[in-house]
Amino acid sequence: MRVLVTGGAGYVGSFTVRRLLAAGHEVVVVDNLSTGRREAVRGCPLRMADIRDPAGMGPVFEEFRPEAVIHFAALKSSEESLRDIGTYFGVNVTGTQNVLDLCARTGVERFVFSSSCAVYGTPQICPVDETAPVRPESPYGETKYLSERMIASYGQATGLRYANLRYFNAAGAADDASLGEYAGPAATQLLPVAVRATLGLAPALRIFGDDYPTPDGTALRDYIHVEDLAQAHVRVLEGLDTDERCGPVNLGRGQPVSVRELIDALRHVSEKDTTVTTAPRRPGDPGLSWADPDLALSRFGWRAERDLDHIVRTAWDWHTGTPASLE
């Protein structure tokens, strides 16, 4: 299958590109490299373009004529979205509309969207399944849900088969430490931030909120290994062979992990201590959020295979073996 991957030089995108190539698909990556890395997609054609620029994106679609699109390109920080709402709507919503217009124009048949559990906000019941109310608590979550609705409308109007993958917290790195997450001083993702603190690159790891209604007072999340997540994208793309399979799909391990439990796992793997301080809760951060992943298994035969120890161990090996990943 000819697959165009927007944002394919980013974290989850680059792992998915590897999986697509290994499965025999023909792949072209589109990325503006604002956060992506050229070296993450060596051996795959990379076209520099911005999804906000239809004139720049159009020739890529016209020349490659993709049969399928996996759409990763987006901004992804709930906290940042509160400070820069306009940019988030411009990239995540208008950018997605531009991609969908090009799909309609060039006859793309399948569309896999990198959505987020942020569409649920703070779920009323966990684990959360795809029938749960959608109540985003940040502009970021709102942009993801608006994009989902737009994708569904294009699907209904054009026959585009689609899946909106609501995944939870991507983490980890390749087993051989050949690829992972690049997370510099401005990183907000918990695991790389914790690694930075453990290595002395930051004075301490701040825990935002230790008064949640959880066993240890810290927020509960669902961490999923990036390799499992990449495999899910490929499995879903290949499985979109009927209209009945279209719609939202949760991707997670279905096992809640608290902030303190993740820090303890890092201490175990690294055999080092992590200095921790506490800070008030951040706006837009739910206290409880983990997936019911059963639909992904029943509809596409996918489930996560790697546990928390594997997630933390591969991340630690990647960051310590690749100092540039933390610069």
Side-chain angles (χ1 to χ4, degrees):
M1 201 181 309
R2 294 189 305 279
V3 186
L4 184 70
V5 183
T6 72
Y11 177 40
V12 182
S14 60
F15 276 86
T16 302
V17 167
R18 276 192 176 190
R19 291 274 182 168
L20 288 166
L21 293 172
H25 297 289
E26 184 181 355
V27 181
V28 167
V29 170
V30 178
D31 205 300
N32 67 2
L33 298 184
S34 58
T35 58
R37 311 279 294 208
R38 186 181 296 273
E39 60 268 31
V41 286
R42 290 193 183 101
C44 179
L46 170 63
R47 298 290 300 273
M48 288 281 292
D50 192 305
I51 59 173
R52 291 170 292 185
D53 177 21
M57 293 284 293
V60 183
F61 276 80
E62 294 292 347
E63 294 167 14
F64 185 49
R65 307 300 294 191
E67 298 164 271
V69 168
I70 302 182
H71 180 41
F72 289 104
L75 300 175
K76 63 176 186 177
S77 168
S78 294
E79 183 181 19
E80 183 184 55
S81 73
L82 293 164
R83 302 191 302 267
D84 197 359
I85 296 174
T87 301
Y88 267 71
F89 274 79
V91 174
N92 293 5
V93 180
T94 304
T96 298
Q97 181 183 359
N98 291 338
V99 173
L100 288 166
D101 282 342
L102 289 166
C103 288
R105 186 189 308 169
T106 57
V108 172
E109 300 169 357
R110 305 184 188 205
F111 191 92
V112 175
F113 177 54
S114 169
S115 190
S116 170
C117 64
V119 301
Y120 295 117
T122 299
Q124 293 179 315
I125 299 174
C126 284
V128 58
D129 67 19
E130 292 80 0
T131 66
V134 172
R135 296 172 178 172
E137 297 175 3
S138 68
Y140 165 68
E142 189 68 37
T143 65
K144 286 297 187 181
Y145 184 51
L146 287 173
S147 295
E148 285 193 12
R149 292 174 61 187
M150 197 161 46
I151 291 162
S153 294
Y154 272 79
Q156 185 175 22
T158 68
L160 180 71
R161 291 184 185 144
Y162 67 92
N164 295 322
L165 303 187
R166 296 172 175 174
Y167 45 89
F168 284 62
N169 296 73
D175 288 346
D176 61 359
S178 60
L179 188 62
E181 184 172 15
Y182 286 86
T188 58
Q189 305 93 316
L190 177 58
L191 185 51
V193 170
V195 170
R196 293 183 61 84
T198 303
L199 292 173
L201 298 176
L205 171 65
R206 285 191 296 169
I207 294 178
F208 293 96
D210 61 355
D211 58 349
Y212 287 104
T214 63
D216 63 20
T218 63
L220 293 176
R221 295 286 186 271
D222 189 336
Y223 293 93
I224 176 173
H225 197 284
V226 65
E227 292 278 23
D228 285 330
L229 202 49
Q231 181 60 35
H233 285 75
V234 177
R235 186 74 58 83
V236 170
L237 180 73
E238 294 174 342
L240 279 174
D241 46 17
T242 65
D243 292 342
E244 289 72 25
R245 291 190 169 189
C246 295
V249 181
N250 287 343
L251 298 180
R253 292 173 59 237
Q255 298 178 16
V257 175
S258 75
V259 173
R260 292 195 186 279
E261 286 174 329
L262 185 138
I263 295 168
D264 288 343
L266 179 58
R267 285 173 174 150
H268 172 73
V269 165
S270 67
E271 298 182 344
K272 297 178 181 293
D273 197 19
T274 304
T275 302
V276 174
T277 62
T278 59
R281 302 182 188 185
R282 293 182 297 191
D285 276 356
L288 310 168
S289 182
W290 70 92
D292 178 343
D294 287 351
L295 183 64
L297 178 61
S298 63
R299 185 173 289 180
F300 297 103
W302 174 90
R303 64 181 172 188
E305 298 176 352
R306 296 159 179 85
D307 62 14
L308 179 65
D309 180 79
H310 193 94
I311 290 170
V312 174
R313 189 173 301 279
T314 55
W316 176 256
D317 289 345
W318 158 252
H319 287 305
T320 54
T322 312
S325 69
L326 295 169
E327 293 176 355

